[in-house]
């Protein structure tokens, strides 16, 4: 039998059961004849207090072990679960014996009791999961990853595994990492251009920037689908919101329009937020106290309040009225800058906003054209602090309109012939969106830097571990 976790032990009634706790020492305190050892195992936010009483029977071995332990040491402690006289905890362990499993010399172990900066912890990412902050982030990530599946599976969406290696640039933004087995050094010496016909896949390929196009093919077969997997972007953007490797959730629905897409996105975000508030209550309380003031209150109000909706045109009008507040002057046709998104969410809507109907020039080729022929049925969900958290659209289901757009953008029709087949055979209106999983975790935890919500961040110049 695997040993009980502290989260399981903490849920037990304190009725003098004999138990063994296994975990890592957080702190040790002494008070007269008592020694308090706080042990945590990461299974929940709190640890368990193990109290040793010198007046009881206890051998030399225990005294030796107690004097040797310090923060980070792994231990096994046996005792009885009893009601705790201390505030803030139901039960504690009246400990009888302790064994050191793995040492962590105090003069070498990098994680001491004091507070460490997030920058420092990023350098020791292999140890940071042992801190309160990163343990809590990891638990929220795990719970919400599962909630993604719960949400879609209960609504008839099928989980589709779209490819990681692909020859299609789904966003047409040219931010793909190349995948090759060509001998680059030999090629450089030869001075010849690469022959991709001789490359592993027989043509130039890379890591996917989005599973959307492949997900569309399944939506037009299974009606409702979603993907949830790693995505890669070779953008040279060194910001607190961009990673080179991130996880994205992309639902796609057949016989659905932009309106349905907005409803789905709002329901989805509210479901995720309320799941975290319910099932990660202790973790969220920690973030609320130490990371982002009033986080819980804000999350709760987002769950309870309908999202504001506005068209891009109305959003720009709003921004133009306040043009003096921005570094980048807003005008119709401009891509919204993060200062603009911040203004719309924090000053205009005071909460999430769904902005729709963007100019076609600043959006991807596959979005459905509006009758005005200037805007497309796009939607971005913007949230305070972060800006864009979701991007999506109704897709162009008309063959000639889509071909025209691909040609106009100078893209190769041949490359998209399989995608165009969806419009040739049994085409139907359809819509979907992408939620960046790390942006969601930033939103829910209040963590300021996206590099702190994924175990091992990959960004420009950063690939350690
Ligand atoms: O807006 P994006 O580029 O949209 C797509 O990829 C569409 N194919 C989605 C769809 O309609 N199926 O990206 C979607 C979301 C963004 O809103 C953002 O949350 C996240 O993915 N994202 C990133 N997250 C972290 N690092 C990056 N470099 C990101 N780029 C996008
Ligand atoms: Mg986008």
């Amino acid at each position: 039998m695997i040993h009980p976790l502290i989260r399981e032990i903490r849920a037990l009634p304190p009725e003098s059961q004999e138990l063994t706790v296994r975990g890592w020492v957080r702190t040790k305190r002494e008070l007269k004849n008592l020694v308090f050892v706080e042990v945590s195992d990461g299974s929940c936010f709190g640890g368990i207090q193990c109290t040793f009483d010198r007046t009881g029977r206890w051998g030399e071995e225990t005294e030796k072990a107690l004097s040797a332990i310090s923060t980070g040491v792994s231990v096994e402690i046996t005792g009885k679960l009893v009601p705790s006289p201390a505030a803030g905890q139901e039960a504690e362990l009246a400990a009888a014996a302790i064994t050191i499993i793995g040492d962590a010399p105090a003069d070498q172990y990098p994680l001491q009791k004091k507070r460490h900066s997030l920058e420092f912890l990023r350098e020791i990412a292999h140890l940071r999961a042992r801190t309160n902050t990163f343990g809590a982030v990891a638990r929220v990530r795990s719970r919400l990853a599962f909630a993604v599946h719960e949400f879609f599976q209960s609504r008839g969406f099928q989980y589709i595994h779209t490819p990681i290696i692909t020859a299609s640039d789904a966003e047409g933004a040219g931010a793909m990492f190349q995948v090759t087995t060509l001998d680059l050094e030999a090629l450089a010496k030869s001075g010849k251009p690469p022959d991709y016909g001789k490359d592993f896949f027989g043509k130039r390929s890379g890591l996917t920037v989005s599973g959307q196009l492949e997900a569309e093919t399944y939506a037009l077969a299974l009606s409702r689908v979603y993907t949830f997997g790693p995505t890669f972007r070779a953008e040279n953007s060194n910001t607190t919101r961009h990673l080179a490797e991130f996880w994205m959730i992309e639902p796609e629905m057949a016989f659905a329009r932009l309106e349905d897409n907005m409803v789905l996105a709002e329901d989805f975000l509210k479901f995720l937020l309320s799941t975290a508030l319910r099932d990660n209550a202790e973790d969220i309380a920690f973030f609320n106290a130490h990371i982002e003031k009033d986080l819980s209150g804000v999350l709760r109000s987002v769950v309870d309040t309908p999202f504001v909706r506005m068209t891009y045109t109305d959003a720009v009008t709003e921004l133009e009225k306040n043009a003096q507040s921005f570094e980048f002057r807003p005008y119709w046709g401009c891509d919204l800058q993060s200062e603009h998104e911040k203004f719309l969410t924090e000053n205009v809507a005071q909460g999430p906003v769904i902005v729709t109907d963007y100019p076609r020039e600043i959006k991807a080729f596959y979005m459905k054209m509006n009758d005005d022929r200037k805007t497309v049925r796009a939607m971005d969900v913007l949230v305070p602090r972060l800006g864009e958290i979701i991007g999506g659209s109704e897709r162009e289901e008309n063959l000639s309109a889509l071909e025209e757009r691909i040609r106009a953008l100078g893209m190769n029709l041949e490359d998209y012939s399989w995608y165009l087949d969806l419009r040739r055979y049994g085409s139907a209106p359809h819509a979907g969106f992408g939620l960046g999983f790390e942006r969601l975790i930033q939103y829910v935890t209040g963590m300021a830097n996206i590099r702190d919500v994924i175990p091992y961040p990959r960004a420009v110049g950063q690939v350690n571990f």
Side-chain angles (χ1 to χ4, degrees):
M1 233 279 283
I2 49 174
H3 74 274
L5 295 170
I6 290 175
R7 63 183 286 166
E8 292 156 356
I9 293 174
R10 278 164 56 116
L12 294 172
E15 285 164 349
S16 295
Q17 301 96 315
E18 178 101 1
L19 282 174
T20 300
V21 169
R22 293 171 180 86
W24 293 268
V25 171
R26 276 301 176 83
T27 57
K28 179 178 77 175
R29 283 181 303 121
E30 304 213 16
L31 185 75
K32 294 186 192 146
N33 279 323
L34 300 176
V35 184
F36 304 103
V37 182
E38 178 81 14
V39 176
S40 70
D41 68 356
S43 62
C44 55
F45 186 81
I48 188 159
Q49 179 171 294
C50 305
T51 307
F52 292 83
D53 187 346
R54 281 201 175 91
T55 58
R57 297 172 285 118
W58 103 19
E60 217 174 282
E61 285 298 299
T62 303
E63 190 62 59
K64 230 169 84 190
L66 278 177
S67 61
I69 59 172
S70 54
T71 304
V73 169
S74 57
V75 291
E76 190 175 287
I77 300 178
T78 303
K80 282 186 173 166
L81 197 64
V82 297
S84 177
Q89 56 190 23
E90 283 275 297
E92 62 176 52
L93 199 75
I98 175 169
T99 310
I100 294 180
I101 307 291
D103 220 351
D107 56 342
Q108 294 162 35
Y109 186 54
L111 289 174
Q112 290 308 317
K113 243 165 88 176
K114 66 173 186 135
R115 224 174 202 219
H116 297 289
S117 73
L118 295 172
E119 290 73 22
F120 169 72
L121 292 173
R122 234 169 269 151
E123 288 167 22
I124 50 162
H126 59 302
L127 296 172
R128 68 179 179 170
R130 298 183 187 191
T131 64
N132 280 334
T133 308
F134 288 91
V137 167
R139 282 184 298 272
V140 170
R141 247 190 106 96
S142 169
R143 182 62 191 93
L144 292 189
F146 184 54
V148 165
H149 294 291
E150 289 178 311
F151 179 85
F152 288 118
Q153 296 283 334
S154 69
R155 284 165 178 76
F157 286 74
Q158 311 286 337
Y159 181 28
I160 307 299
H161 298 98
T162 51
I164 305 278
I165 299 175
T166 178
S168 326
D169 181 351
E171 292 299 299
M176 268 170 106
F177 283 101
Q178 199 177 339
V179 171
T180 181
T181 50
L182 292 175
D183 184 340
L184 298 181
E185 278 173 36
L187 209 67
K189 277 189 205 134
S190 77
K192 284 191 224 129
D195 176 1
Y196 290 114
K198 295 214 175 78
D199 202 351
F200 190 92
F201 297 106
K203 65 201 258 195
R204 197 185 163 118
S205 34
L207 298 177
T208 187
V209 296
S210 155
Q212 178 196 320
L213 305 192
E214 292 90 349
E216 280 184 56
T217 67
Y218 270 70
L220 290 176
L222 306 184
S223 293
R224 289 185 202 160
V225 302
Y226 69 104
T227 69
F228 183 7
T231 12
F232 307 87
R233 302 217 177 156
E235 295 159 343
N236 199 351
S237 37
N238 212 337
T239 78
T240 55
R241 309 180 306 138
H242 289 87
L243 288 169
E245 176 179 298
F246 64 99
W247 288 67
M248 185 154 57
I249 299 128
E250 297 182 274
E252 193 73 32
M253 302 178 283
F255 306 102
R257 303 280 189 188
L258 188 60
E259 174 68 22
D260 307 299
N261 214 20
M262 287 194 273
V263 171
L264 185 75
E266 182 168 342
D267 286 353
F268 183 40
L269 281 179
K270 288 180 169 174
F271 177 84
L272 295 168
L273 266 46
S274 54
T275 300
L277 284 167
R278 186 190 61 224
D279 292 352
N280 294 92
E282 286 187 316
D283 297 319
I284 302 291
F286 168 80
F287 292 121
N288 186 72
H290 298 284
I291 301 291
E292 175 73 20
K293 211 168 85 239
D294 200 29
L295 178 72
S296 321
V298 167
L299 295 179
R300 212 158 281 124
S301 92
V302 171
V303 171
D304 294 335
T305 318
F307 289 7
V308 169
R309 296 177 182 188
M310 61 170 76
T311 63
Y312 168 91
T313 302
D314 289 345
V316 169
T317 306
E318 228 20 87
L319 295 171
E320 281 172 330
K321 283 193 225 153
N322 296 278
Q324 76 291 346
S325 338
F326 307 116
E327 189 183 331
F328 294 92
R329 185 182 61 85
Y331 59 93
W332 199 96
C334 76
D335 210 348
L336 297 184
Q337 303 294 320
S338 43
E339 55 173 346
H340 302 148
E341 297 180 340
K342 200 173 154 66
F343 186 85
L344 291 173
T345 52
E346 291 169 19
N347 298 54
V348 180
Q350 276 137 7
V353 194
I354 311 184
V355 179
T356 61
D357 304 286
Y358 284 75
R360 66 176 193 189
E361 276 72 26
I362 58 172
K363 288 292 179 189
F365 71 96
Y366 50 70
M367 297 192 182
K368 177 143 186 86
M369 191 82 72
N370 275 315
D371 293 338
D372 64 10
R373 315 233 352 117
K374 289 195 306 207
T375 59
V376 287
R377 286 186 199 155
M379 61 165 212
D380 277 5
V381 181
L382 314 178
V383 296
R385 275 198 284 119
L386 287 177
E388 180 188 340
I389 192 165
I390 282 180
S393 72
E394 188 174 329
R395 319 305 188 190
E396 184 57 76
E397 87 273 20
N398 179 284
L399 178 64
S400 54
L402 185 56
E403 283 177 335
E404 188 189 314
R405 201 67 199 125
I406 291 177
R407 253 190 245 108
L409 288 169
M411 295 157 67
N412 187 358
L413 267 180
E414 252 326 271
D415 290 346
Y416 294 91
S417 66
W418 59 274
Y419 185 66
L420 292 164
D421 269 355
L422 299 175
R423 281 75 181 167
R424 285 190 189 102
Y425 313 122
S427 188
H430 59 291
F433 62 80
L435 166 68
F437 190 55
E438 285 71 24
R439 297 225 182 136
L440 167 76
I441 303 300
Q442 279 190 280
Y443 191 46
V444 172
T445 60
M447 295 294 286
N449 195 319
I450 198 164
R451 291 162 208 224
D452 296 332
V453 295
I454 187 165
Y456 296 103
R458 271 78 181 94
V460 192
Q462 186 173 31
V463 73
N464 286 342
F465 309 101

